[in-house]
Amino acid sequence: LPGTVTPPAPAQPGAARQEAGTRPSRALPYALHVHASAAGQRIALDFENAGTAGAVLHVYDRLRLERGPRRYTVEAGKQLAGSWDTAEDDGRYDLWVLGPNGFHRHCAGRIAPNAQYALEVRAAYGSGDAELRLSVRNTGARACTFTIEDQAYGRPAATQAIEAGLEAAYAWPLEDNGGWYDFTVRIAEDPVFVRRLAGRVETGRPSTSDPAMGREAILEWNAQA
């Protein structure tokens, strides 16, 4: 229109953000698990599909992004496994697993001979309930202190010292936020160790979209030193 002044585009436009709020979401047939374990100089991931539909999982090696992701198609009721050699990265590994409906696992750390500090973190879902259960087992040679932090939904952090060879168990009811979860486990004595678990627990009943959508992005893209 005559006399209209078009403002200049910003030099650094902000990142796009999804509209805040939730929407009804139907039940989905997914129940996926990824378990990480170290053996020798290799880090292994076991992919388990306990749901009623197949799913594709993409695994990005963030230390070797030029190689592209590996893709694993896991049939309902089946398991697959993959492993990565860490020798060329001085024992370091940093793997992102992405699946359907916000499913995410992040496994990072360093494999070292006679590791002093190491944890095995495994997730399970409640039977018919929107509940996430975590078991944290100390597989290292020494006692350590770990912290479990909720990255998105406001639950208080849990910190615990654990002796070598022992296991701790946690459970969180998730009905209040539609079954969604996002937890990170870290070791105080080993700052490169990370286990992040995010997604939605399916109960067979309708739920909602992710209530954390539309908030500030929670992204840790820089690989651990």
Side-chain angles (χ1 to χ4, degrees), residues 24-171:
S25 174
R26 66 183 60 190
L28 295 174
Y30 302 118
L32 302 170
H33 297 286
V34 178
H35 306 299
S37 59
Q41 284 290 299
R42 305 189 72 84
I43 182 74
L45 297 182
D46 293 320
F47 309 97
E48 177 186 350
N49 186 348
T52 58
V56 177
L57 299 172
H58 297 71
V59 185
Y60 291 84
D61 182 347
R62 300 205 308 148
L63 302 180
R64 301 286 169 177
L65 287 175
E66 71 278 3
R67 297 176 181 173
R70 296 189 194 180
R71 297 176 176 87
Y72 295 85
T73 301
V74 191
E75 296 179 66
K78 299 294 182 65
Q79 297 180 355
L80 292 176
S83 66
W84 287 255
D85 189 351
T86 68
E88 60 184 324
D89 292 306
D90 192 29
R92 292 174 58 212
Y93 60 91
D94 195 337
L95 304 174
W96 264 20
V97 184
L98 301 177
N101 202 39
F103 181 87
H104 173 55
R105 297 293 186 264
H106 181 194
C107 304
R110 186 188 302 274
I111 297 175
N114 303 315
Q116 298 298 300
Y117 306 107
L119 296 178
E120 182 180 272
V121 181
R122 297 177 70 91
Y125 306 137
S127 178
D129 298 320
E131 181 182 72
L132 179 74
R133 302 168 184 168
L134 282 188
S135 65
V136 182
R137 182 169 171 263
N138 186 348
T139 58
R142 300 179 61 181
C144 67
T145 299
F146 67 86
T147 298
I148 305 174
E149 294 181 286
D150 185 336
Q151 299 290 332
Y153 305 105
R155 294 178 179 81
T159 299
Q160 180 174 338
I162 186 170
E163 296 292 332
L166 296 186
E167 182 175 315
Y170 293 82

